[in-house]
């Protein structure tokens, strides 16, 4: 059997002042643009929470809280919504999604365009530069319409080099739903200076 090492989300800068009020960035993947996240810094029974906003799929910005505990490395956990890939399917037409053309391919560009017109967007579907916006969850979409599945989508939207999605040569879209995991995700932690 092989061992897979999980890479935790990173915090930059890694060392912060106990006085707080410093800008930090959590770097990771699948964050939902514009959504609020909570970062909890923990030492035993003492903790401090701070909220921040995802500025793109890979970064969330926070302002550190004042820390009244000991200095040194601390556990830092993140909670908030993440993009969940739902697979490659045909367009769910009976639900009349709004459609947009995006010139910067990828989840962030599509979701930003959706929010301009439909604030309640929950699920997006992408095919090349075409972006579909649904107010329904993916489960609701599936219950309303039989979607023909295809595993041949040629690109994955989260590939940082090539943010193309779906299968531009045919009728298949990559579907993504913004969902809250409901659990905290561990980061690499943060160091409180002396």
């Amino acid at each position: 059997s092989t061992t897979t090492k999980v890479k935790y989300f990173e915090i930059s800068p890694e060392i912060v002042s106990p006085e707080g009020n410093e800008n930090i960035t959590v770097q990771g993947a699948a964050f939902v643009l514009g959504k609020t996240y909570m970062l909890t810094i923990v030492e035993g029974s003492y903790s401090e929470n701070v909220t921040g906003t995802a500025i793109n799929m890979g970064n969330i910005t926070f302002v550190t809280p004042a820390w009244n505990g000991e200095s040194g490395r601390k556990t830092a956990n993140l909670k908030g919504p993440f993009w969940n890939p739902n697979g490659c399917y045909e367009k769910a037409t009976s639900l009349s999604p709004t459609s947009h053309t995006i010139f910067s391919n990828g989840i962030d560009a599509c979701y930003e365009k959706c929010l301009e017109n439909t604030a309640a967007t929950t699920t997006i579907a992408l095919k090349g530069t075409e972006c579909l916006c649904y107010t329904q969850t993916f489960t609701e979409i599936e219950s309303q319409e039989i979607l023909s599945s295809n595993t041949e989508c040629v690109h994955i939207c989260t590939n940082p080099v090539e943010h193309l999605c779906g299968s531009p040569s045919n009728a298949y879209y990559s579907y993504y739903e913004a969902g809250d995991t409901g659990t905290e995700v561990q980061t690499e932690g943060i160091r409180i200076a002396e």
Side-chain angles (χ1 to χ4, degrees):
S1 98
T2 59
T3 302
T4 303
K5 184 175 181 180
V6 175
K7 182 177 180 189
Y8 293 113
F9 295 154
E10 296 176 358
I11 297 178
S12 177
E14 178 189 4
I15 302 172
V16 296
S17 163
E19 283 81 33
N21 204 32
E22 292 183 34
N23 294 319
I24 60 170
T25 302
V26 173
Q27 299 166 328
F31 304 139
V32 182
L33 178 71
K35 294 295 183 180
T36 300
Y37 291 78
M38 183 167 47
L39 184 68
T40 303
I41 303 169
V42 181
E43 175 186 50
S45 62
Y46 174 63
S47 66
E48 290 289 345
N49 297 322
V50 62
T51 58
T53 304
I55 56 173
N56 56 41
M57 277 187 64
N59 297 282
I60 306 169
T61 57
F62 294 93
V63 176
T64 59
W67 182 257
N68 296 314
E70 299 290 322
S71 61
R73 178 160 294 285
K74 307 298 169 209
T75 299
N77 299 318
L78 183 68
K79 187 172 182 182
F82 294 88
W83 284 113
N84 299 311
N86 295 109
C88 190
Y89 298 90
E90 291 178 321
K91 181 177 182 179
T93 55
S94 67
L95 299 172
S96 304
T98 55
S99 179
H100 303 283
T101 299
I102 52 175
F103 299 101
S104 171
N105 292 322
I107 292 173
D108 276 347
C110 179
Y111 189 61
E112 190 170 30
K113 188 59 101 171
C114 290
L115 291 179
E116 288 175 9
N117 301 288
T118 311
T121 297
T122 301
T123 305
I124 59 174
L126 299 102
K127 181 182 78 166
T129 59
E130 187 178 354
C131 163
L132 304 176
C133 313
Y134 295 91
T135 57
Q136 300 85 1
T137 66
F138 187 74
T139 302
E140 291 169 336
I141 293 169
E142 280 187 309
S143 70
Q144 295 291 317
E145 185 163 331
I146 297 171
L147 298 173
S148 176
S149 178
N150 183 336
T151 58
E152 301 303 317
C153 280
V154 293
H155 300 287
I156 298 173
C157 296
T158 54
N159 181 331
V161 176
E162 192 168 18
H163 277 189
L164 293 169
C165 309
S167 185
S169 61
N170 58 40
Y172 295 98
Y173 293 77
S174 294
Y175 280 79
Y176 289 84
E177 181 180 352
D180 195 329
T181 63
T183 58
E184 290 184 323
V185 177
Q186 187 175 345
T187 70
E188 285 191 339
I190 194 165
R191 185 175 298 280
I192 308 295
E194 291 184 16

